[in-house]
Amino acid sequence: MATKTIKGNPSQIMVEQLAASGIKYVFYNSGSREANFFDALHENPKVNGILALHEGSVTAMAGGYTQVNGDPAVTVVHLGAGLAQCMGQLINVWTGGLPLVVITFAGDTGSFADKIGLDLSHSFGPTSISAPLTKENWTVVEPEGLPAAIDRAIRVAKTPSQGPVHIALYDKLLGNQQVTSSLIEDGDLRLKAGYPADSDLEQLARYLHQAERPLLYVGDGVWKSKAEELVTSLAEHFGANVANTFDDLRGVSIKHPLQCGRLEQVISTIDPDLIVAIGTRHMGAGYPNDYDLFSKVKHIVAVGSHSDNFKNLPGLELAVLGDERRSLERLQEMIASESQPKRYDERRQEARKRAEALRSQRRQKFQATAPKKGVVPELALLDTMDTALEQRGGGLITIEQFAVPLDCVKQSDDTGRNVYIRPAGGSEGYGVGAAIGTKLAAPDRPVVGLVGDGSLYYADSALWTAAHHNIPVLYIIPNNQAYGIVANAFGLAHGQMDKTGIYEGVLLDGIDPVKISEAFGVEAMDVQDEADVAKAIDHGLTITEKEGRPFLLNVHVPVGLPSGGKGSKPFKLTNP
C-alpha cells in the first residue's frame, strides 16, 4: 500500500484523500458549521465543488454522475437536517445500487447540551436515519483515521452489489488543529466479482440451446459491468427476445430489433419457456401476485455478481455467480465453435417479429390520437430528439418523465449511440439534477435532460446550478400540464374521478417553465407546433454544444389526463 504523510487540519486531510482516491467533484449544499471543510475544498485545485440549493438536488446530481461510467460520487450535506433533506433522492440512489459516499458532520449531543440546532436527537446516532438506505455507515471520531475511513467508504460503495454509504464525523473534526496522518494513494477501484464455474455456464448454454422461446431479462448489472455488447451478441446468437427491468434501458438498446420492453408488460405475449436474468435485481409491488408473471415459465436461470441478482425469482433452477461481463465473455468462448443450427435462424426471425409487433402496438396507441393545435405529439418529440442526437454522434438522455413513451422509439438494426438513462427509483425530483451530474461525467457528449413538468417543478432550483457552473445540458420538458402517471392511476381505480371524468390534485396548469428557467439564469423557449420541434432541438443543441451553456425547451404535449378528463375546481380560501 502506497501512502504519503500529510500534515494539516482535518478538513484539508479529508479533501486531499478525496483527491488521492480520484474524486473530481464534491456535490454539496453550503453549511455554516462546515466552514473549514469548504475552505479546504475550494483551495484544493484537484477537487471541484458543485453547489446546489437543496440537498435533494445535491444527491440527484451525484447519482446522475455515477450512472454514466460507474465512477463513485461524493456529497456533503449540512448536519442532520441536510441528511434528512437528501433522503428523498437517496432512495433513488439506493434502489439503483449506485456508488455514492454521503458525508455529514454531527454535533456532540452527549458531552454538553443534548439538543443542537439542525441536528438529530441525542437518542439517535448520526447515521441512524440514513441506515435503511445505505449499504454501510460509519461514525468517525479520530482525525488521524480520516484517510482510511474515506478510502474504505469508496471501496465499499464500489464493491458489488454497489450502493450508497454514509460517513458521519463529529464536528470537532472541523477545527484548525494540526494533525499528521497518511494518505492512501494506490489501489484499483474497478472492483469486480469473480469468475463463474464453467459447469454452470455449460448448463446455461444447454438451456439456451434447447429452449423454444428464450428470453433474456436484463438488469443494471449489465451496464455496471460494461457487458452491453456481450448481452446483445448473446441475444442475437441464440435468437432470444430481450426484456428489461423498470430502471434499465441500456443493457440492450431499446432500439434493438430483439428488445421488447419491460418484462411485466410483454411476458404474456412472448410466453417464454426459458428466462435468463442477467444482472437483474427483480422487484415486485408488495402484492400477492408479485410472482405470477413467472408461473408459466418452464426454466429460470440467473447470472449475477451478488445475491440480489438471485432473489425474487421463484423456481430459480441455476444461479451463475460471477461478474456479468466475465461470465458472458467465458460463455462466448464456449459457444464460439458451436455451429448455429437452422432453428436458431428460425427463432431469431420469430423473436424479431414478436418485438416488432409489440413496438408497433405501443406506437399505434399514440398515433391513434387525433392531432391538436398547439401541442406536439409525443412520438414526434421522441423520434426527433433521438434522430438529432444520433446525427451528432450519439448522446446521453437522462429521464424523469412518463409522457413520452421511450419504449416506442423506432427500432433500428444499427441501434446507434444514444444511451437512455432512467432513475432507478421513483422518488420525484431526480431528473434536473441527474442531467447535471451526467454532463460532468461525460463532458464531450451531448446530454439531454428529458424531464416532465411535474418533476421540473419539484426540483427546479437545480437549474441554478446548471447556470452557476455553466454546465451545458439541454433540458427538454414534455409539458403535459399534469401528474400524468398519477392521473391515469386515479382513472384505473374506477372510483368517482373515473365516473365523473373530473380529476383532483393532478392538473398542473398556470405554471410557466420558461419563466422559471430564465429566473434561474437558463435561457428557454416554448415549442407548440410539431413543425418546429426539429429546429428547436437543433437550436438547443447548438447552444449547449457550441456556446457551452444550458438551455431549456418547454414542449407542449397533450394534457396528461385520461381521455375526456378535466381538472377539478381547487379549493380557494378567498374568491376575488
Side-chain angles (χ1 to χ4, degrees):
M1 179 175 72
T3 61
K4 175 184 176 182
T5 301
I6 181 173
K7 184 175 182 179
N9 68 40
S11 294
Q12 292 168 334
I13 290 173
M14 287 178 64
V15 176
E16 285 292 345
Q17 182 57 57
L18 290 171
S21 297
I23 300 300
K24 297 178 181 178
Y25 302 101
V26 170
F27 301 89
Y28 73 96
N29 177 258
S30 299
S32 55
R33 201 149 175 161
E34 298 91 346
N36 278 335
F37 175 82
F38 291 118
D39 188 73
L41 175 64
H42 294 299
E43 75 173 1
N44 192 312
K46 294 174 283 188
V47 184
N48 294 296
I50 304 297
L51 174 62
L53 305 182
H54 188 278
E55 288 85 357
S57 294
V58 167
T59 309
M61 292 173 196
Y65 180 83
T66 69
Q67 284 184 289
V68 177
N69 300 309
D71 294 330
V74 173
T75 63
V76 174
V77 295
H78 181 47
L79 301 175
L83 180 61
Q85 295 274 31
C86 86
M87 296 293 284
Q89 296 311 313
L90 189 60
I91 193 171
N92 286 332
V93 172
W94 175 72
T95 302
L98 302 176
L100 168 65
V101 178
V102 181
I103 298 176
T104 60
F105 296 92
D108 180 351
T109 54
S111 300
F112 306 104
D114 68 359
K115 190 170 185 179
I116 298 175
L118 302 180
D119 226 326
L120 305 182
S121 163
H122 61 85
S123 297
F124 298 90
T127 64
S128 57
I129 63 172
S130 69
L133 300 181
T134 52
K135 281 180 66 177
E136 294 189 33
N137 56 76
W138 307 269
T139 301
V140 180
V141 177
E142 300 299 335
E144 292 83 359
L146 285 168
I150 290 171
D151 176 76
R152 176 182 59 209
I154 294 171
R155 290 180 186 281
V156 171
K158 278 291 294 177
T159 301
S161 177
Q162 297 180 12
V165 299
H166 177 203
I167 303 176
L169 305 97
Y170 281 108
D171 62 4
K172 76 171 188 177
L173 300 184
L174 288 170
N176 278 314
Q177 68 270 33
Q178 294 297 293
V179 176
T180 300
S181 188
S182 297
L183 295 182
I184 299 172
E185 293 191 305
D186 66 348
D188 188 351
L189 292 176
R190 294 171 296 178
L191 304 171
K192 299 179 181 180
Y195 290 89
D198 277 1
S199 58
D200 288 341
L201 293 177
E202 289 167 358
Q203 179 62 28
L204 171 56
R206 284 193 291 271
Y207 274 123
L208 285 165
H209 174 75
Q210 294 166 1
E212 296 292 331
R213 295 175 305 283
L215 174 67
L216 304 187
Y217 179 28
V218 177
D220 62 5
V222 172
W223 74 260
K224 288 176 180 176
S225 65
K226 297 179 171 52
E228 298 98 318
E229 292 184 6
L230 291 165
V231 174
T232 301
S233 176
L234 185 70
E236 292 170 347
H237 177 89
F238 285 104
N241 277 125
V242 178
N244 54 268
T245 57
F246 169 78
D247 60 310
D248 183 75
L249 295 172
R250 57 200 283 202
V252 172
S253 168
I254 57 173
K255 294 194 287 186
H256 193 281
L258 291 171
Q259 171 64 270
C260 294
R262 283 172 54 183
L263 178 70
E264 63 271 23
Q265 296 174 351
V266 303
I267 191 169
S268 61
T269 298
I270 301 171
D271 188 25
D273 57 341
L274 169 68
I275 288 180
V276 180
I278 305 176
T280 303
R281 295 176 294 128
H282 182 74
M283 295 188 293
Y287 296 136
N289 62 353
D290 275 351
Y291 300 138
D292 287 359
L293 70 169
F294 298 112
S295 61
K296 296 181 180 180
V297 181
K298 188 175 181 181
H299 302 292
I300 301 176
V301 176
V303 180
S305 58
H306 191 268
S307 61
D308 285 353
N309 303 123
F310 308 120
K311 296 192 296 186
N312 300 319
L313 296 172
L316 181 67
E317 296 181 23
L318 175 64
V320 182
L321 180 61
D323 175 75
E324 290 85 355
R325 181 182 178 90
R326 288 171 167 172
S327 298
L328 295 176
E329 284 175 337
R330 182 65 182 127
L331 179 61
Q332 194 172 64
E333 292 173 1
M334 289 179 170
I335 64 176
S337 59
E338 176 191 54
S339 60
Q340 292 193 32
K342 182 180 179 181
R343 59 193 297 268
Y344 286 8
D345 294 332
E346 295 170 351
R347 282 197 325 207
R348 196 174 299 113
Q349 292 172 9
E350 291 301 314
R352 289 174 70 108
K353 288 179 183 178
R354 285 191 292 270
E356 184 178 0
L358 285 163
R359 193 183 304 266
S360 178
Q361 289 169 13
R362 292 191 293 263
R363 289 184 67 89
Q364 286 173 8
K365 176 183 174 182
F366 285 87
Q367 290 168 335
T369 305
K372 294 181 180 179
K373 187 177 181 180
V375 298
V376 175
E378 297 94 334
L379 290 187
L381 174 57
L382 174 63
D383 292 340
T384 305
M385 177 190 69
D386 186 78
T387 299
L389 288 168
E390 290 291 6
Q391 289 173 346
R392 286 165 172 77
L396 300 170
I397 305 98
T398 63
I399 302 143
E400 188 181 31
Q401 61 85 48
F402 293 95
V404 176
L406 299 169
D407 54 2
C408 290
V409 66
K410 289 180 180 179
Q411 75 174 43
S412 170
D413 286 324
D414 174 13
T415 53
R417 297 186 61 202
N418 286 343
V419 178
Y420 289 83
I421 305 174
R422 283 186 55 85
S427 184
E428 194 159 19
Y430 189 81
V432 185
I436 291 170
T438 297
K439 184 63 179 178
L440 289 168
D444 299 326
R445 297 189 66 181
V447 171
V448 168
L450 188 65
V451 182
D453 50 324
S455 298
L456 170 67
Y457 307 147
Y458 207 90
D460 55 6
S461 69
L463 292 172
W464 179 87
T465 300
H468 179 68
H469 290 287
N470 208 34
I471 299 172
V473 170
L474 173 59
Y475 288 102
I476 297 179
I477 312 301
N479 187 351
N480 65 1
Q481 301 182 71
Y483 287 130
I485 191 169
V486 179
N488 282 295
F490 286 177
L492 292 172
H494 303 304
Q496 286 299 310
M497 292 190 203
D498 179 47
K499 292 175 183 177
T500 63
I502 298 175
Y503 290 84
E504 170 71 32
V506 291
L507 197 63
L508 302 175
D509 55 351
I511 310 175
D512 189 342
V514 170
K515 289 182 178 179
I516 291 173
S517 181
E518 293 184 338
F520 282 114
V522 176
E523 185 184 351
M525 64 182 288
D526 280 303
V527 184
Q528 295 179 278
D529 193 310
E530 181 179 352
D532 297 331
V533 174
K535 183 178 179 181
I537 292 176
D538 182 71
H539 176 68
L541 288 171
T542 297
I543 286 178
T544 57
E545 297 306 300
K546 297 280 182 69
E547 299 183 22
R549 57 189 176 91
F551 194 79
L552 184 144
L553 296 175
N554 178 38
V555 183
H556 296 253
V557 298
V559 174
L561 298 179
S563 180
K566 296 185 294 185
S568 67
K569 288 185 177 181
F571 164 79
K572 293 183 183 294
L573 183 60
T574 61
N575 292 305

